[in-house]
Amino acid sequence: MDHFTLSGDEAGWLRNKTGATRLGFAVQLKFLTWRGRFPRMRMELPPDAVEHVAKQVGVAAAELGFYDFTSRAAKWHRSELRDLTGWHECTKTDLVKLVSHLVDVIWHDERREEQVRAELLRQMCVDLIEPPTAAQVNTIIRSALHQADERAVAEVAARLAREEDCPRRLDALVFTDPTGDDTEPGDGAAVDGDASEEDEDDVESVLADIKAHPGNVSLNSLLDEIKKLKQVRAVGVPAKAFTSIGVQVINAWRARASASSPSHLRRFDAPVRHVLLAALLFQRQREITDTLVELLNSTVHRINARAEKKVTEAFVAEFTKVCGKARLLGKIATASLGAPEGSVREVIYPAVGGEKTLKDLVAEMKATNAEFACSKREVFKSSYSNHYRSELMKLLGVLGFCSSNDQHKPVMEALALIERHSSTTYLPLGETIPLEGVVRKDWMEFAIFTPDKGPKRVMRTVYEACVFQALRDRLRCKEIWVDGADKWRNPDEDLPDDFEVRRAEYYEKLNKPRDAKLFIAQLQSEMRTELSALDTKLPKLPWVTVSGKHRNGAIKFTEPEPQKEPKNLRKLKKAIRKKWGTVALIDILKEAALRTGMLKALAPVGTREAIDEAKLLERLLLIAYAYGTNSGISSVAAGDHGHRVGSRRAMRPRNRAHFRLRCLP
């Protein structure tokens, strides 16, 4: 109804046309205004739309079968419709304008072809331009992406160049000579081969350290990440260098730099090399900062968990339940009244059955929640002071914690306080020590020391442990955020910079209403529907049992029975083995590449493809041979095939198992 209803002027354009010609002219007109192009065949037209147009023009819908969309008359109709509607075929001038428009729109934040294609078609509709051939559209998109990347690289490179010594420090990551003027052997200069190789190894090791990801949570991994963060910050990539550049673009540059060895990066033009390295360092700095925050949270959690486990084990080992406590109390009272002058050992012990009974009774009375919590805090304090404190304090020296809420100001002041005073037993009396919102009530008795004479003092180590616990709680809900982080960044940065200007567009893309009450009502309705469905279906599931009697929780899942082997699977395996036998992985890869053209589907890590398909196939086969025969890349590289070691190191998988998993499908 919206797209295939003829207006008064459009109905007048039909004039003296009749029959199939009249209907064909009308559906071409409405399809043009709907899709921005003419239909290529009858099958592209929705049947209900044809019926709707046929009723308006007074022609039976079946008449369209006699209209040839490839005939001379149909072509003449399209020419007439172009004159009437203002639509025109795409010219060379239009191509240039479209590419220029796309570059202006996408250069800073878009590199996905499907999004660029959508913007191209939208602009063509605005300019009343019929889409050219598919090949021309692909050419426009590739040209726009290439020019957009060049423009973004030039913009970021100019910002880096304005930062004093930043390009030189970036070059130091890939050149043994920071100026980039390495002297090659044979140029008349005496070069020590061993020294040159050592310098090259040092360069590669620094860049490899920066690229490396952390291992499991431990003090060693924490120290390694702190070292990496200092290395990245030493280069001094300005955060403003990537202002207004989208995350997709930065990630593409970072991926391209990560997949390139120093020898590859040295062959890039200086602006491109600087931008790729800066993107790598910029993203790695954010990732390492996130990792350090997560290590801080995990370390504090680990101290707490280990303290709870240790205290629990101690309480279980010491706890023995004593039966008949009321009867024992009666015996103690009777014995005490019968011999008030006697000693405890002579009077009380025999009455209750010995010293052991009284010790068990005391242990049971101590095994209360309050006693458990008290012991847990003592173990936590001891574990923090003796093992974890030095590393956690180092984190405060490299992470910048911030908060825009005054409610959490005490925690921020406490962080600054423990940084200033890190070697005293008590915090100084002259300092303002925030306790409310930092030290929990159950920790007050441990944090505050009351001497016989003089004012109360705050124990520094206990206070530090309380500060780290409070910091972890607020970090996890983003009440406190970390400067230079990504996941733990300022919540105000979660929205795009242009959100206020393009608010309606963003809400439309998210398919969410702008009215908060309507959004809440829709969410509540959806939750009620899903919970009702769960409530209805859950009791009927044979593999789920809901009961409060299970030791490990109220919900219990029954493990499914093993699936039966497919009926003909063994026959299929036997037939394959009989016909082909055992086929080597390198042969499977080779045949798959030759028969399916799978190399065309391999996406580059950067924003453009720079490797010929035949050369890519040769490199993949060499890598497969190196890993499959356990010869190693260096040994295979010694052959006379024209491929160097570095060109294949950038393509190699992490390990053989990963390679097999990638290649077997």
Side-chain angles (χ1 to χ4, degrees):
M1 295 295 295
D2 292 339
H3 299 287
F4 284 86
T5 300
L6 293 167
S7 65
D9 293 338
E10 291 172 343
W13 293 346
L14 300 176
R15 293 194 301 275
N16 58 347
K17 295 180 176 64
T18 59
T21 301
R22 183 179 181 87
L23 181 58
F25 185 89
V27 295
Q28 284 205 92
L29 166 63
K30 298 313 298 180
F31 192 90
L32 173 65
T33 58
W34 178 41
R35 291 298 190 191
R37 62 177 177 84
F38 291 107
R40 302 182 185 90
M41 60 184 70
R42 168 69 178 83
M43 299 301 294
E44 288 186 326
L45 297 166
D48 54 346
V50 175
E51 290 282 353
H52 182 62
V53 175
K55 291 179 181 179
Q56 296 177 75
V57 300
V59 179
E63 289 290 323
L64 191 62
F66 299 101
Y67 187 82
D68 185 2
F69 286 88
T70 61
S71 64
R72 183 181 299 177
K75 293 179 181 179
W76 184 84
H77 288 165
R78 289 195 284 270
S79 178
E80 183 179 354
L81 286 171
R82 292 188 185 101
D83 295 336
L84 292 170
T85 60
W87 285 79
H88 61 279
E89 294 179 293
C90 188
T91 63
K92 291 184 178 180
T93 303
D94 292 329
L95 291 177
V96 174
K97 291 182 179 179
L98 288 171
V99 171
S100 177
H101 168 77
L102 288 177
V103 172
D104 291 338
V105 172
I106 71 171
W107 74 271
H108 52 86
D109 65 352
E110 186 58 72
R111 293 297 183 272
R112 294 170 293 178
E113 286 193 10
E114 61 274 13
Q115 298 297 328
V116 179
R117 188 184 304 275
E119 174 60 26
L120 173 63
L121 296 177
R122 188 198 66 80
Q123 187 60 32
M124 284 183 171
C125 288
V126 171
D127 296 339
L128 302 181
I129 301 173
E130 294 178 48
T133 63
Q136 287 178 310
V137 170
N138 291 334
T139 300
I140 294 173
I141 294 173
R142 287 196 299 269
S143 177
L145 289 173
H146 177 69
Q147 293 184 33
D149 191 59
E150 287 188 336
R151 180 170 171 179
V153 167
E155 177 68 23
V156 176
R159 297 174 185 175
L160 294 173
R162 289 194 291 269
E163 193 73 15
E164 185 179 0
D165 279 349
C166 184
R168 184 188 62 81
R169 292 192 295 269
L170 289 170
D171 281 335
L173 293 172
V174 294
F175 287 98
T176 55
D177 175 12
T179 63
D181 299 328
D182 290 354
T183 306
E184 296 291 340
D187 292 341
V191 179
D192 187 345
D194 295 337
S196 178
E197 290 181 3
E198 290 179 2
D199 292 341
E200 180 72 17
D201 291 340
D202 291 341
V203 168
E204 291 196 10
S205 65
V206 172
L207 199 57
D209 287 343
I210 293 175
K211 294 179 182 180
H213 289 273
N216 296 328
V217 178
S218 66
L219 296 182
N220 289 333
S221 61
L222 189 146
L223 294 175
D224 290 341
E225 292 303 297
I226 291 177
K227 177 184 175 183
K228 273 190 275 186
L229 183 60
K230 290 180 178 179
Q231 287 177 332
V232 173
R233 287 178 175 175
V235 181
V237 175
K240 295 182 179 180
F242 296 97
T243 303
S244 76
I245 303 297
V247 177
Q248 299 93 337
V249 179
I250 300 175
N251 286 338
W253 289 338
R254 175 259 175 88
R256 194 173 170 191
S258 298
S260 302
S261 63
S263 59
H264 277 101
L265 292 168
R266 284 196 288 267
R267 290 199 292 269
F268 288 122
D269 292 336
V272 177
R273 180 175 62 250
H274 295 159
V275 170
L276 295 182
L277 288 171
L280 173 64
L281 296 180
F282 178 77
Q283 291 294 77
R284 285 299 292 143
Q285 179 174 340
R286 295 162 68 90
E287 292 171 359
I288 295 170
T289 304
D290 285 340
T291 301
L292 288 175
V293 177
E294 290 168 0
L295 286 173
L296 185 150
N297 290 337
S298 300
T299 302
V300 176
H301 172 73
R302 172 173 287 188
I303 301 172
N304 197 36
R306 292 180 66 179
E308 183 169 353
K309 181 180 178 182
K310 185 175 181 179
V311 173
T312 301
E313 291 175 350
F315 267 66
V316 170
E318 295 178 1
F319 176 73
T320 301
K321 188 174 182 180
V322 180
C323 300
K325 289 183 282 292
R327 180 174 53 83
L328 289 176
L329 180 61
K331 289 183 177 182
I332 292 172
T334 302
S336 300
L337 292 174
E341 301 297 332
S343 65
V344 174
R345 186 176 299 276
E346 295 174 353
V347 177
I348 303 298
Y349 282 5
V352 299
E355 181 181 359
K356 183 178 183 301
T357 303
L358 286 177
K359 288 183 177 180
D360 292 342
L361 182 61
V362 172
E364 180 182 349
M365 298 303 294
K366 284 185 175 181
T368 60
N369 290 335
E371 185 68 22
F372 181 88
C374 179
S375 299
K376 177 182 171 182
R377 291 191 292 273
E378 289 179 349
V379 175
F380 184 99
K381 177 176 72 71
S382 175
S383 179
Y384 165 77
S385 302
N386 298 332
H387 189 60
Y388 291 99
R389 179 185 176 276
S390 60
E391 281 68 28
L392 290 176
M393 292 301 295
K394 288 177 182 178
L395 279 177
L396 296 184
V398 295
L399 296 178
F401 299 98
C402 308
S403 179
S404 53
N405 191 341
D406 290 339
Q407 184 178 352
H408 310 294
K409 188 177 179 181
V411 179
M412 302 301 299
E413 293 176 348
L415 288 171
L417 178 64
I418 63 176
E419 279 193 89
R420 291 197 302 270
H421 306 285
S422 59
S423 59
T424 58
T425 304
Y426 304 100
L427 293 176
L429 290 174
E431 289 281 2
T432 301
I433 305 173
L435 297 175
E436 188 69 27
V438 179
V439 181
R440 293 183 299 192
K441 292 181 179 179
D442 55 343
W443 277 82
M444 283 293 184
E445 59 178 313
F446 292 94
I448 299 177
F449 172 71
T450 305
D452 296 335
K453 296 181 180 180
K456 297 180 179 180
R457 305 295 299 272
V458 177
M459 299 283 292
R460 178 184 53 78
T461 54
V462 180
Y463 188 75
E464 287 177 358
C466 294
V467 171
F468 280 114
Q469 285 185 319
L471 176 63
R472 177 178 182 267
D473 293 340
R474 285 157 178 79
L475 278 171
R476 295 178 67 196
C477 54
K478 282 198 170 184
E479 292 170 343
I480 291 179
W481 43 275
V482 182
D483 186 27
D486 182 28
K487 177 181 177 181
W488 306 95
R489 64 182 178 271
N490 185 352
D492 295 339
E493 297 177 2
D494 292 344
L495 291 175
D497 296 336
D498 57 352
F499 181 77
E500 291 298 330
V501 179
R502 303 172 61 185
R503 178 187 289 265
E505 180 182 345
Y506 285 128
Y507 273 94
E508 183 179 353
K509 289 182 178 180
L510 293 172
N511 195 24
K512 299 296 181 184
R514 296 184 63 177
D515 185 0
K517 294 182 179 179
L518 180 59
F519 171 76
I520 294 173
Q522 291 179 355
L523 187 61
Q524 290 176 338
S525 175
E526 183 181 350
M527 293 176 67
R528 290 192 187 99
T529 302
E530 297 300 329
L531 288 173
S532 299
L534 178 65
D535 185 56
T536 302
K537 295 180 180 180
L538 192 61
K540 301 178 182 179
L541 297 175
W543 44 273
V544 179
T545 305
V546 181
S547 173
K549 299 180 180 180
H550 296 304
R551 293 181 58 188
N552 297 326
I555 301 176
K556 181 180 179 181
F557 296 96
T558 304
E559 294 185 3
E561 296 181 359
Q563 297 293 318
K564 294 182 180 180
E565 185 178 281
K567 184 176 181 180
N568 295 319
L569 180 60
R570 291 193 178 185
K571 294 181 180 179
L572 179 62
K573 290 181 178 179
K574 186 176 180 180
I576 293 175
R577 192 161 45 247
K578 181 178 179 181
K579 184 172 183 178
W580 288 294
T582 303
V583 183
L585 178 61
I586 189 171
D587 293 329
I588 295 176
L589 176 64
K590 178 192 68 175
E591 292 300 325
L594 293 176
R595 299 187 185 190
T596 65
M598 69 175 190
L599 297 180
K600 296 179 181 179
L602 295 179
V605 296
T607 56
R608 56 186 176 183
E609 180 63 74
I611 303 177
D612 181 68
E613 185 176 344
K615 186 178 293 184
L616 179 61
L617 176 59
E618 292 178 4
R619 291 182 181 178
L620 284 174
L621 293 179
L622 288 170
I623 292 173
Y625 181 80
Y627 279 97
T629 61
N630 205 24
S631 301
I633 289 183
S634 299
S635 299
V636 175
D640 186 15
H641 42 62
H643 298 286
R644 294 188 293 178
V645 178
S647 63
R648 290 187 304 288
R649 278 181 177 165
M651 300 167 56
R652 65 184 177 185
R654 289 186 292 275
N655 51 50
R656 294 187 188 90
H658 179 67
F659 176 76
R660 294 190 185 100
L661 289 174
R662 284 170 50 185
C663 292
L664 280 177

